[in-house]
Amino acid sequence: MYKKLIAALLKRGLQALIVALIVGLVSFAMMQALPGDAAFRIAAGRYGYDLMDAAAAEAVRQELGLDRHWSLQLFDWLKALAQFNLGESFIYRGSVSEKIAVQLGHTLTLSLSALFVSILIAFPIGIYTGLNPNGWADKFFLQLSIFVRAIPPFAVGLTLVLIFSVHLKLFPVAGFRSFHHLILPAFTLGIGMAAVSNRVIRDSVLEAMHSDWQLFSRIKGLPSGLTLRAHVLRNAALPSVTYIGVQMAYLIEGVVIIETLFAWPGIGHALIHAIFGRDIAMVQGTALTLGLIYVGLNLVIDFLCSFIDPRSAKS
Amino acid sequence: MTLLSVKNLYVFIEDKQVDLLGPISFSLELGENLTIMGETGAGKSLIAQAILGSLPTGLKSRGDILLKGEAIDNLSPKKRAALWGDIITALPQEPWLSLDPLMRSGQQVAETHRYFKSYNWKEAKKQTEQQFKKLDLSDTAQKRPFQLSGGMAQRVAFAAATAGDAELLLADEPTKGLDSHRHDKILSLLKAIPQKGDSLLTITHDLDLAYALGGKIIILKNGKIVEEGITHTVLSSPKASYTQALCAANPSSWPPLSSCTISSKENILVQSEKLRIGRNKIAFIKGLDFCLKAGESLAISGPSGIGKTSLLDTIIGSIKPMGGTLTRAEHIGKWEIQKLYQDPPTAFPPLISLKDNFKAVTKKHKMAWDQLLQLLENVELDASILERRPSNVSGGELQRLSFIRALIAKPKILLADEPTSRLDLITQETCLNLLKKLCREENIGIILVTHNQHIAEKWAHNHIDLNQFCV
């Protein structure tokens, strides 16, 4: 049992390492590829466009060593990373890790709330349509799912803002001061995920209901409700949870956009701002953290799956 | 007291109003035992499903089904299901697939006890333990279905099905795919049902099981009753021609094999000396010597789990011998060892029409389509059968198709792993004779794996009983 646990941790640990390297390299390469003078933009970010000049840009260039060959800059960043040091922000005072430590909490709050919302929506719909396949509800939710999934997350977010903030005035347009602020962004992300996962859950439930063991459970005498609870749902949960793991990529991608849209001060929001400001250290740090969140969430899914299905753990 | 009475029961396809089965009438007293025998794919299982009320969608039944004198055929599905476990229960055809793959086997039985007798978990577990002890399953309670053998899974299913003490047990092909030891075990469990005052309805194509169970018997052909009566009378002096054919097709009544004619030392296809076989460094079989020549048949028998499949895998070359030698003739190419599988439906992709499947295989092995049609004719199949999907073809026909599919590759060696254990007796005999004839004509060496001692002795030129080589 412990051997399996350690093996799983090692596997994800290695994955985290690879993710860190790739994310670091790719984000660095993309920042280098951007046109224009980085030092100029960084100086503008620090002092404002009106208060800066060529001399300030030159000072920034010297200070950050931006005139060095790109390979040296990358090497420095990797060396610091190996010592668990993400460096200093190019624009704001303070280290990247300090900033991320604050933002991480906001991002996790939003991601987990979105996940919770998606589960809250997808499971009841998926179970109901799986138990009543080809009924009106099944057909309705199929169409709705296709419709919702076809809209990009930011458009879903804008629509929700228009309806619930602008017209109904139920929730704030943006910001993060209270629980109220959390609801719209969490629903925007959650609805997008639920649009697909409710169909996966529906198919899993349907398949379980057609299994030999489901019928045998009834024939040996268990009533339908008990069969559903004790057998069908657990078996159907396995592919559903695995699929939710697959959706983590959608979640991470969505967080970046939705945080920006709702001015939610998380890592995604910070990433976008860092890109605009050419804050290379911040970009690398935030992208890296998002990658690691992805790996971490998948690790949680791994454990959930082996908890539901002990076969994989023992065979 | 009459527990179950069935009058003029028909099962039909709802859309097309086509009868698959009927008219069937019989009655079953409490403490009595009735066996229904007939062809594979003739819809015997539909009778059990009609009584349970679990017919597949698209099928309906008409006629009267009375349970304890009350009509149940017109009850709502919900009320039908309320009888399950309490008054009617069923032993599933595929015990492995009928147990929840994620739940421990003890729990699957205990939940039934807990539900029916409103025991608390502790008491329910105690009841389960006692039941498992009686069924020789003592250390099985903590295991999940994937850790059970077929025989163990069947006994767990038996325990679960009978936990509610239902008065009527429907057993659909209870001995399918079991070796003689497990066969006897399930027989004694089934026999105990009428003895304690409950009723048993068995559906089978296993003549020995029917005989051993005794009681009454119904023989079905084409969905109609051709003969019925006291089992021992019917089977020892059958009147209907179909019953006579059925009895004659039982391997124990096959005529002994006429002396074999192959004696030359030439044409040795595969030969072993002091062969030692095992998996994961655990040996199952040792000191095995055998020799297979072209056109010859070799039967391998032994109980489940003794290493029959491992032996076949070693001959194919997918596992290495642990000791001794195994020599294959050098001229045998990659495709020239072919294998026939136990369960024909699983050997064909379900969503691809047979025609497409055969087109691919003939193309691969460069056989003309006309030649394939000739082969079909040889096994008495009409070419139109290829238009269908595997699920719309009977087990016997499908197995004949899989013979042909293997022959397209022009094999020199054919390995047949229990190819007929799921077929009825007559179909089994026809298939096996056909197989022997084809191999003789094409000069193919065939190795047949079976757990039926009679088939092993009477069908093949040579017979190896693996019990003698067991580690």
Side-chain angles (χ1 to χ4, degrees):
Chain A
M1 186 67 207
Y2 286 108
K3 250 187 190 166
K4 282 278 167 197
L5 188 78
I6 290 164
L9 283 173
L10 274 178
K11 188 183 131 206
R12 288 297 179 194
L14 186 69
Q15 200 185 356
L17 204 68
I18 295 169
V19 165
L21 266 177
I22 293 177
V23 168
L25 290 178
V26 170
S27 54
F28 180 81
M30 291 206 273
M31 293 310 288
Q32 291 291 323
L34 285 179
D37 183 8
F40 197 84
R41 296 292 298 267
I42 294 168
R46 280 188 187 180
Y47 316 118
Y49 278 101
D50 300 337
L51 297 172
M52 56 102 37
D53 49 24
E58 197 50 41
V60 165
R61 196 188 319 276
Q62 291 304 323
E63 180 202 330
L64 298 173
L66 293 176
D67 50 350
R68 291 176 305 159
H69 191 257
W70 63 266
S71 57
L72 281 173
Q73 295 182 44
L74 181 64
F75 180 75
D76 276 353
W77 182 75
L78 286 174
K79 200 170 83 182
L81 183 66
Q83 299 161 341
F84 297 100
N85 179 8
L86 290 172
E88 300 275 320
S89 165
F90 285 6
I91 297 176
Y92 306 101
R93 296 227 172 271
S95 73
V96 172
S97 16
E98 269 171 32
K99 298 227 172 290
I100 288 178
V102 178
Q103 294 154 355
L104 181 65
H106 296 312
T107 294
L108 283 180
T109 309
L110 178 58
S111 316
L112 295 179
S113 311
L115 202 59
F116 181 70
V117 167
S118 84
I119 287 168
L120 216 59
I121 298 172
F123 272 90
I125 294 176
I127 292 168
Y128 181 80
T129 50
L131 292 176
N132 304 283
N134 304 321
W136 69 265
D138 190 19
K139 287 176 185 143
F140 172 74
F141 282 114
L142 173 64
Q143 298 305 325
L144 188 67
S145 299
I146 294 172
F147 180 71
V148 171
R149 191 62 182 86
I151 309 173
F154 73 86
V156 176
L158 280 177
T159 315
L160 291 185
V161 167
L162 276 177
I163 298 174
F164 292 99
S165 307
V166 178
H167 284 289
L168 300 177
K169 302 197 191 316
L170 286 175
F171 301 105
V173 174
F176 86 111
R177 272 182 304 280
S178 67
F179 178 71
H180 255 69
H181 289 86
L182 180 60
I183 291 181
L184 282 186
F187 265 83
T188 308
L189 278 172
I191 287 171
M193 286 197 282
V196 188
S197 57
N198 87 82
R199 298 310 292 176
V200 175
I201 294 164
R202 177 245 185 215
D203 290 348
S204 316
V205 169
L206 187 60
E207 197 186 319
M209 287 302 287
H210 279 120
S211 65
D212 284 10
W213 47 260
Q214 190 278 136
L215 181 63
F216 183 60
S217 167
R218 300 296 316 280
I219 284 173
K220 76 184 182 188
L222 297 193
S224 55
L226 197 55
T227 300
L228 183 70
R229 265 177 285 141
H231 299 287
V232 173
L233 291 187
R234 184 171 176 190
N235 278 276
L238 193 58
S240 311
V241 171
T242 311
Y243 183 73
I244 289 174
V246 174
Q247 277 192 317
M248 290 306 138
Y250 177 89
L251 182 65
I252 299 297
E253 176 197 317
V255 151
V256 175
I257 296 157
I258 298 307
E259 281 184 354
T260 312
L261 183 67
F262 286 94
W264 186 263
I267 293 176
H269 185 245
L271 172 64
I272 297 286
H273 277 265
I275 292 173
F276 285 133
R278 299 291 178 92
D279 192 344
I280 301 173
M282 250 337 250
V283 170
Q284 283 176 310
T286 46
L288 180 71
T289 313
L290 286 173
L292 293 182
I293 293 176
Y294 177 74
V295 176
L297 288 174
N298 269 299
L299 183 67
V300 174
I301 297 284
D302 277 359
F303 284 127
L304 262 178
C305 282
S306 64
F307 172 74
I308 298 172
D309 183 5
R311 282 175 299 181
S312 55
K314 279 194 179 161
S315 59
Chain B
M1 176 189 158
T2 306
L3 179 66
L4 175 75
S5 117
V6 170
K7 285 177 198 152
N8 289 322
L9 176 74
Y10 288 85
V11 175
F12 61 98
I13 303 172
E14 204 181 5
D15 299 343
K16 298 180 188 161
Q17 296 289 318
V18 175
D19 289 339
L20 296 173
L21 183 89
I24 306 282
S25 303
F26 61 83
S27 70
L28 186 60
E29 308 289 314
L30 260 180
E32 212 183 21
N33 173 14
L34 175 72
T35 305
I36 297 176
M37 277 193 80
E39 299 160 284
T40 311
K44 296 189 303 275
S45 305
L46 296 178
I47 302 177
Q49 288 168 346
I51 294 168
L52 273 172
S54 66
L55 283 170
T57 32
L59 298 186
K60 281 260 149 60
S61 69
R62 60 176 194 271
D64 303 319
I65 303 171
L66 293 115
L67 193 68
K68 293 180 167 173
E70 282 179 48
I72 57 164
D73 49 281
N74 47 15
L75 290 181
S76 67
K78 214 172 173 177
K79 283 187 174 155
R80 288 296 277 279
L83 302 168
W84 294 349
D86 196 15
I87 299 174
I88 310 179
T89 190
L91 201 54
Q93 235 192 65
E94 305 283 355
W96 238 335
L97 302 179
S98 298
L99 296 172
D100 182 339
L102 298 182
M103 195 182 262
R104 292 181 204 277
S105 42
Q107 176 76 9
Q108 303 202 33
V109 177
E111 62 175 6
T112 323
H113 281 294
R114 181 171 148 79
Y115 174 71
F116 269 105
K117 289 160 201 158
S118 316
Y119 288 140
N120 57 26
W121 276 117
K122 211 175 141 198
E123 187 60 31
K125 286 212 168 103
K126 221 165 112 191
Q127 291 277 330
T128 309
E129 243 169 69
Q130 285 173 3
Q131 228 184 337
F132 273 28
K133 219 172 185 175
K134 260 194 254 166
L135 296 169
D136 264 347
L137 288 169
S138 301
D139 48 355
T140 315
Q142 292 303 309
K143 290 186 179 163
R144 294 189 169 84
F146 76 103
Q147 297 165 307
L148 303 178
S149 71
M152 281 152 88
Q154 184 149 42
R155 276 174 282 151
V156 171
F158 184 89
T162 53
D165 283 328
E167 286 138 292
L168 173 61
L169 175 67
L170 307 175
D172 193 359
E173 303 278 18
T175 56
K176 190 162 80 175
L178 296 185
D179 63 42
S180 57
H181 174 71
R182 294 195 179 125
H183 185 280
D184 295 348
K185 192 128 209 169
I186 195 81
L187 171 66
S188 66
L189 292 177
L190 292 177
K191 265 182 131 166
I193 304 257
Q195 275 163 14
K196 68 173 196 199
D198 293 330
S199 306
L200 173 68
L201 177 65
T202 313
I203 291 165
T204 185
H205 54 243
D206 180 343
L207 204 80
D208 298 326
L209 176 76
Y211 199 86
L213 283 173
K216 292 194 299 185
I217 195 165
I218 288 175
I219 312 282
L220 287 187
K221 181 172 181 1
N222 295 335
K224 292 186 174 61
I225 297 179
V226 290
E227 191 164 358
E228 58 188 311
I230 305 296
T231 307
H232 290 176
T233 327
V234 170
L235 294 184
S236 44
S237 52
K239 291 197 179 64
S241 57
Y242 180 73
T243 321
Q244 286 166 356
L246 202 63
C247 291
N250 197 26
S252 61
S253 15
W254 287 3
L257 190 76
S258 51
S259 63
C260 54
T261 46
I262 297 162
S263 57
S264 72
K265 284 215 160 178
E266 289 156 40
N267 283 327
I268 290 178
L269 296 170
V270 58
Q271 194 171 18
S272 81
E273 240 175 89
K274 298 204 172 58
L275 188 61
R276 197 179 168 88
I277 289 171
R279 272 181 212 265
N280 302 328
K281 292 178 186 159
I282 301 162
F284 310 138
I285 294 164
K286 58 166 189 193
L288 180 65
D289 294 341
F290 73 87
C291 171
L292 179 75
K293 293 173 196 153
E296 206 179 43
S297 54
L298 170 68
I300 296 169
S301 68
S304 308
I306 198 167
K308 295 188 298 256
T309 308
S310 300
L311 175 58
L312 289 189
D313 287 348
T314 312
I315 295 171
I316 293 171
S318 65
I319 57 175
K320 285 209 164 69
M322 291 176 74
T325 57
L326 180 93
T327 342
R328 257 195 314 265
E330 275 171 13
H331 59 81
I332 295 176
K334 190 177 170 189
W335 306 106
E336 291 177 334
I337 301 183
Q338 288 288 322
K339 193 172 169 187
L340 291 178
Y341 291 88
Q342 185 170 6
D343 200 7
T346 57
F348 284 89
L351 299 179
I352 293 175
S353 82
L354 290 165
K355 194 170 199 167
D356 289 344
N357 188 326
F358 273 86
K359 264 188 183 155
V361 184
T362 45
K363 198 175 158 202
K364 166 90 195 157
H365 296 289
K366 299 191 177 62
M367 177 186 264
W369 190 251
D370 288 344
Q371 249 178 306
L372 174 74
L373 296 180
Q374 183 58 45
L375 277 175
L376 280 175
E377 212 167 282
N378 288 352
V379 297
E380 291 161 25
L381 287 177
D382 195 75
S384 67
I385 201 166
L386 294 180
E387 304 295 331
R388 295 188 238 166
R389 281 192 180 177
S391 54
N392 298 326
V393 174
S394 78
E397 289 168 329
L398 209 52
Q399 195 56 290
R400 272 182 276 169
L401 285 169
S402 66
F403 292 173
I404 294 181
R405 194 172 56 175
L407 289 180
I408 294 173
K410 304 198 182 63
K412 296 219 164 68
I413 300 177
L414 195 57
L415 305 174
D417 192 357
E418 304 266 15
T420 57
S421 65
R422 291 174 180 236
L423 305 177
D424 71 70
L425 293 169
I426 295 176
T427 316
Q428 165 170 283
E429 196 186 18
T430 326
C431 278
L432 284 178
N433 285 338
L434 187 69
L435 189 59
K436 196 153 73 174
K437 188 176 139 247
L438 289 173
C439 289
R440 205 60 177 276
E441 286 168 6
E442 308 284 330
N443 220 20
I444 297 167
I446 178 165
I447 298 181
L448 175 82
V449 167
T450 178
H451 49 234
N452 189 315
Q453 205 72 10
H454 296 294
I455 294 180
E457 282 163 10
K458 292 178 180 174
W459 183 82
H461 295 109
N462 297 311
H463 169 209
I464 297 172
D465 184 354
L466 282 186
N467 278 315
Q468 295 162 11
F469 303 95
C470 192
V471 174

